[in-house]
Amino acid sequence: MTTNSSPQLWLYDTTLRDGTQREGLSVSIEDKLRIARRLDQLGIPFIEGGWPGANPKDVQFFWQLQEDPLKQAEIVAFCSTRRPNSTAATEPMLQDILAAGTRWVTIFGKSWDLHVTTGLKTTLEENLAMIRDTIEYLRSQGRRIIYDAEHWFDGYKHNRDYALQTLEVAIAAGAEWLVLCDTNGGTLPHEISQIVQDVVRVTGELGTGDWGLGTRKDSSQSPIPNPHYPLSPEETPPSPIPQIGIHTHNDSEMAVANAIAAVMAGAKMVQGTINGYGERCGNANLCSLIPNLQLKAGYSCITEDQLTQLTEASRFVSEVVNLAPDEHAPFVGRSAFAHKGGIHVSAVERNPLTYEHIQPEQVGNRRRIVISEQSGLSNVLAKARSFGIELDQQKAEAREILQRLKDLESEGFQFEAAEASFVLLMHEALGDRQKFFEVKGFQVHCDLIEGKETSNALATVKVAVEGKNILEAAEGNGPVAALDAALRKALVNFYPQIATFDLTDYKVRILDGHTGTAAKTRVLVESGNGRQRWTTVGVSNNILAASYQAVVEGLEYGLLLHSQALAALKASS
């Protein structure tokens, strides 16, 4: 838990630049704006928006934020140093940076002599001039500078003296932050710790002249640069000694550990992305870093109220970029506080500390009790309570539910992923399952058209509702879509709320593939009503029969939720 005296860390989010370099991830201008505003709400102080001029999308993004700025965060433009054998003042890409209108600019430069001579094909001296000239020019235009030392750790290990020279030049030119980048993601935590400690020690000697730089014009001792501090072109940065930041990649699955090691060694800025998105194996995951640093290590990153928004922010970003959320992600995953083993559930019911390292509510998540064939009676009782159903473990109904669960899962059902079906199962065992409708039968006819990827399907259903038999037919793009449409058509006049239900996901799994086309099939159907989502399951040797089970229960559970909501509203009025 953080206090007013907790040491401050500055978070720097690069989801909108480094994160979008992930393979298969693409965002529109509107997507970027939505994510930026969500990160602003989360309390992130620095948000890297992209590379102005690299593409029209980033240019438009920065222009729109000039018209409608963020509430508290600093939006940061990103760019490289000028090209070899030119001048910063005549560099077109730096003019695009200035046009973006940001107060802060992140400039990256080469730290590794291998990259200078092989990648840039220039001399080590010219690389130093590129760093100095670029930072000095942007400073002369009133910009504040974060210097990203690319490939820092590899460069340091290969040629320490030259790597430190690049930082020396950045400091002299006016950089306020020196961010050490593990660009290839291959460094281990103990190396990170040792190298960061060395850099902190060396930069701390800046004022003594040990680097030959003397002291800077401003002798104030502000410990951390204020991100909102305004500068005019003739001013020097507010702190004479730049602070150290860390930027890690996950190629060795060490990004989070390496970032924490750097903080423990003296880094004051942590760069990362939401959900760890990034090129190759990704960047340091802020959704893990923030709670680890704040709840475990005692640093102040964001407010406690903002921390409770972390899970929601993680899922929001995954939704916007159209990537399925990692259900098993630490802290924010749906399974992060899920308990399946009977012994675990029993212990957690008595005291959550037995199997939970933090309270899930601290990061906006929640505890879940998972139901499966491995469940004990404690799982069933806890799961029932989570849905407002009180079971008496001394009565036969509780053990009947447990036995029914185990029998069905042995047949291929999976209720840990289909909680709505389990709720209906419990109501069935208790004898209070509402019969909103009864399907008397259905038929599905498909026309497969050669040379076309899609097929037209016609479904006919006979449904009994309120003592009336309803016969309806509907077409769909495939048999499941047609069946779903026919059921809705038959029921919507009796239950208008069905018009708000959507079938949002459909998954099929073959359970015993060795039997070929006679294999048993499990179908999971996710439905929603705009506010809630629920999943139902069906199992059969016939894929249409399995789909029918899941689709019908999805509609039934949606009607149950609506009925319960009406009852609660009536009780409160």
Side-chain angles (χ1 to χ4, degrees), residues 60-72:
Q60 290 289 333
F61 171 78
F62 283 99
W63 285 355
Q64 291 201 36
L65 283 182
Q66 288 184 48
E67 295 295 321
D68 187 11
L70 300 177
K71 301 294 185 183
Q72 62 84 34

Side-chain angles (χ1 to χ4, degrees), residues 277-294:
Y277 297 148
E279 197 164 17
R280 304 186 311 277
C281 305
N283 288 45
N285 187 350
L286 288 176
C287 296
S288 295
L289 275 171
I290 294 171
N292 270 317
L293 289 168
Q294 186 149 323

Side-chain angles (χ1 to χ4, degrees), residues 340-393:
K340 181 173 179 177
I343 293 175
H344 288 216
V345 172
S346 179
V348 165
E349 284 284 289
R350 291 193 293 271
N351 186 340
L353 287 175
T354 53
Y355 286 98
E356 290 178 353
H357 64 121
I358 67 165
Q359 298 172 10
E361 296 79 12
Q362 290 179 284
V363 291
N365 211 334
R366 68 182 183 92
R367 181 176 305 113
R368 292 175 54 246
I369 304 303
V370 176
I371 296 296
S372 77
E373 77 281 356
Q374 298 179 30
S375 298
L377 190 56
S378 57
N379 295 59
V380 172
L381 297 174
K383 176 58 71 176
R385 277 195 296 275
S386 72
F387 285 97
I389 301 173
E390 287 295 335
L391 296 177
D392 186 343
Q393 63 178 332

Side-chain angles (χ1 to χ4, degrees), residues 58 149 302 343 420 426 442 465 484 496:
D58 280 357
I302 55 180
I343 293 175
M426 287 192 290
F442 70 91
V465 189
D484 182 53

